[in-house]
Amino acid sequence: MNSLLTLATLLAGVSQTYAQTAVTVKVGSTLQQIDGFGVSQAFGRAAEFRDMLSGDPQKQGLDYLFNTTTGAGLTIIRNRIGSGTTSDDSILPKSPGGPTAAANYSFDDNDRGQVWFSQQAMNYGVKTIYADAWSAPGYMKSNGNENNGGYLCGTPGHTCSSGDWRQAYANFLVQYVKYYSERGIPVTQLGFLNEPDYVTSYSSMQSGANEAASFIPILHDTLEKNGFGNVSLTCCDAMGWNSQRTITQGLVSAGMERYLGYITSHMYTGDPTSVIPTKLKAWQTEAADLQSRWCATWYGSGGLCEGMTWANKIHNGLANANLSAYIYWQGVEVNQFQASSYLVASDGKTLTPSGRLWAFAMWSRFVRPGAYRVSTTGSVSSTGITAFQNTDGSVVVVFLNSGGSQQNVKVSFTEFTPAGAEAFVTDNTRSVAPVTATLSDGAVTASIPARGMLTVKLTA
């Protein structure tokens, strides 16, 4: 009897070990298009990256961000359009005297290191450069200050003694795009607001849907008239998803979808967890842990700085809010160990990637710009699933296991026959490490680590 019980126990263990959950990827059932994943180096962080790191450490930092073999393979950068009172933080730091006066623009070929950072990113193949203004210059605003909120003069309900500055602000933004274009750096997306629902002591400008709707057509037409009709407009980088949803409803009602290319939001007052009703693409343009000291942990207690936490945020945005892009706040920082608002830390010599970087990498290294998310059927215990088809025809399936047990999967496909498969895992001991994926009879089998990720890439 004891022998029979022992045998039964062993067989049950073997059955549990090798049990595979069936998932089907419906390659012909397309959802949103993916534009990519990225970071910013705004507010002088790009210059610090350039000037405080050199040689191999600098290259390693760039590799961590953009290399598709050893890093995250990020494909978007977000630059800040400065609005300050000095020439290193604005192309028009002083008022020309009025909204219709000739503007004496100037550019320092540096932009607090963002020119250099853009060029470096482009060397890695980055083609999506989002330029966003936190505020109009203070002299264009109702409070006369680039900081502490205030509205753009001339927008509904905000009349200023100096006049209507909406066209002048559009000219200012387009001139910034021109300067970058002249240096071989094409801005692909342009934003004129940042957290318009938040008043703070640094660059900030208030706006609701009505104010934005009174300016968007002016900016659109100014881009067109200056030969930049290929630059897509965004709005509005609100503090959180629900706030952006409210603003978007107003923009849609005002007919602004015809002028815009993207709806953009941050996650500080609410993550993207559901679809915003609009025909426009949706981007998460700023997200970060603003609470924790630096940590590189993948998973510990579920804290905000951990990679697993951010993997869940990215997954929910892609799967539940139909995001086309997800952008973390900062990429590389030097001697800023009091914060986890960036992905790679350095003491000036050594670089340390975070679990957050590897969370991004599990999508961004394999799901490339232009890919489409595709439908899946079947479920795996405690596991989120997203699948994509790249422009080269390859299919990528990303599994995120939040549970404490390994999960084994068998993935089949419709309208796609895989001929090759490779797989990678990230967990507490591995970062985008290659593992075995077995391909047989048009299906692939692999294991998802506990509290970890598995990405499988298949080629036809």
Side-chain angles (χ1 to χ4, degrees):
M1 176 66 73
N2 287 341
S3 297
L4 290 174
L5 287 174
T6 301
L7 178 60
T9 301
L10 287 171
L11 289 173
V14 170
S15 175
Q16 184 177 11
T17 301
Y18 290 97
Q20 296 167 343
T21 304
V23 172
T24 300
V25 177
K26 304 173 71 175
V27 177
S29 177
T30 57
L31 300 166
Q32 79 269 26
Q33 189 178 39
I34 303 300
D35 295 312
F37 306 83
V39 290
S40 177
Q41 294 284 155
F43 287 99
R45 270 51 168 219
E48 291 174 2
F49 186 178
R50 178 195 63 202
D51 299 339
M52 297 177 73
L53 294 175
S54 60
D56 290 342
Q58 186 184 94
K59 183 179 186 304
Q60 187 180 15
L62 292 166
D63 280 344
Y64 274 135
L65 297 182
F66 303 118
N67 193 296
T68 56
T69 303
T70 61
L74 301 176
T75 54
I76 301 174
I77 62 171
R78 176 176 177 243
N79 289 339
R80 171 179 172 264
I81 302 173
S83 53
T85 58
T86 58
S87 59
D88 67 338
D89 194 40
S90 177
I91 61 171
L92 193 63
K94 306 299 181 185
S95 172
T100 60
N104 185 24
Y105 298 112
S106 64
F107 191 59
D108 65 0
D109 284 302
N110 182 18
D111 201 20
R112 302 185 73 180
Q114 292 182 135
V115 170
W116 170 84
F117 186 62
S118 300
Q119 292 167 335
Q120 298 306 308
M122 290 175 65
N123 287 341
Y124 284 83
V126 171
K127 297 179 180 178
T128 303
I129 298 175
Y130 175 31
D132 188 27
W134 267 236
S135 173
Y139 53 80
M140 297 186 182
K141 295 167 58 183
S142 60
N143 67 343
N145 191 327
E146 70 152 332
N147 307 321
N148 301 308
Y151 293 84
L152 179 62
C153 292
T155 56
H158 308 290
T159 301
C160 303
S161 59
S162 58
D164 182 343
W165 286 84
R166 289 177 298 171
Q167 183 62 62
Y169 185 39
N171 295 342
F172 172 88
L173 295 171
V174 173
Q175 182 61 51
Y176 182 91
V177 173
K178 282 183 182 179
Y179 280 135
Y180 268 75
S181 177
E182 289 165 359
R183 285 148 184 83
I185 305 170
V187 170
T188 50
Q189 283 81 16
L190 176 64
F192 61 97
L193 291 171
N194 176 79
E195 298 174 357
D197 49 340
Y198 181 59
V199 176
T200 185
S201 59
Y202 53 81
S203 304
S204 55
M205 184 167 73
Q206 294 164 272
S207 178
N210 288 339
E211 289 88 356
S214 79
F215 178 69
I216 288 168
I218 296 172
L219 180 55
H220 176 274
D221 290 350
T222 305
L223 283 167
E224 291 276 357
K225 290 174 183 176
N226 284 273
F228 292 106
N230 59 328
V231 176
S232 297
L233 291 183
T234 73
C235 197
C236 303
D237 283 66
M239 277 287 285
W241 198 247
N242 287 335
S243 179
Q244 184 59 50
R245 179 189 300 276
T246 299
I247 296 173
T248 301
Q249 289 171 345
L251 294 175
V252 171
S253 296
M256 292 298 106
E257 287 176 304
R258 62 180 290 194
Y259 302 107
L260 294 170
Y262 301 85
I263 290 299
T264 51
S265 179
H266 300 176
M267 50 65 68
Y268 300 117
T269 59
D271 285 298
T273 56
S274 60
V275 175
I276 292 179
T278 175
K279 65 182 182 181
L280 303 173
K281 287 182 175 180
W283 280 15
Q284 176 72 54
T285 48
E286 186 180 315
D289 174 7
L290 301 180
Q291 303 173 13
S292 310
R293 288 185 58 80
W294 168 257
C295 86
T297 307
W298 173 256
Y299 178 80
S301 60
L304 188 56
C305 72
E306 296 174 10
M308 188 74 184
T309 298
W310 285 91
N312 273 289
K313 288 179 179 291
I314 297 167
H315 168 81
N316 287 331
L318 293 169
N320 300 324
N322 285 356
L323 291 181
S324 292
Y326 204 109
I327 303 173
Y328 203 75
W329 174 216
Q330 299 283 351
V332 175
E333 293 232 24
V334 183
N335 294 323
Q336 297 292 329
F337 297 104
Q338 80 283 358
S340 279
S341 55
Y342 53 100
L343 299 178
V344 181
S346 177
D347 60 3
K349 297 179 181 178
T350 302
L351 285 98
T352 304
S354 65
R356 301 179 298 282
L357 178 82
W358 300 127
F360 274 85
M362 292 298 282
W363 280 281
S364 60
R365 192 188 287 188
F366 308 99
V367 182
R368 306 303 291 168
Y372 278 89
R373 187 164 77 90
V374 297
S375 299
T376 63
T377 59
S379 61
V380 181
S381 177
S382 302
T383 299
I385 307 169
T386 49
F388 310 85
Q389 185 169 40
N390 285 310
T391 58
D392 64 2
S394 62
V395 171
V396 177
V397 191
V398 183
F399 297 92
L400 172 62
N401 180 7
S402 298
S405 301
Q406 174 180 293
Q407 300 294 327
N408 304 304
V409 292
K410 181 177 182 179
V411 186
S412 302
F413 305 85
T414 63
E415 300 185 51
F416 177 77
T417 303
E422 54 182 345
F424 302 83
V425 296
T426 291
D427 58 14
N428 269 337
T429 61
R430 297 169 291 182
S431 301
V432 200
V435 294
T436 299
T438 303
L439 186 61
S440 177
D441 296 327
V444 63
T445 57
S447 298
I448 315 163
R451 294 192 176 93
M453 295 184 71
L454 168 74
T455 297
V456 184
K457 182 178 180 180
L458 304 110
T459 53

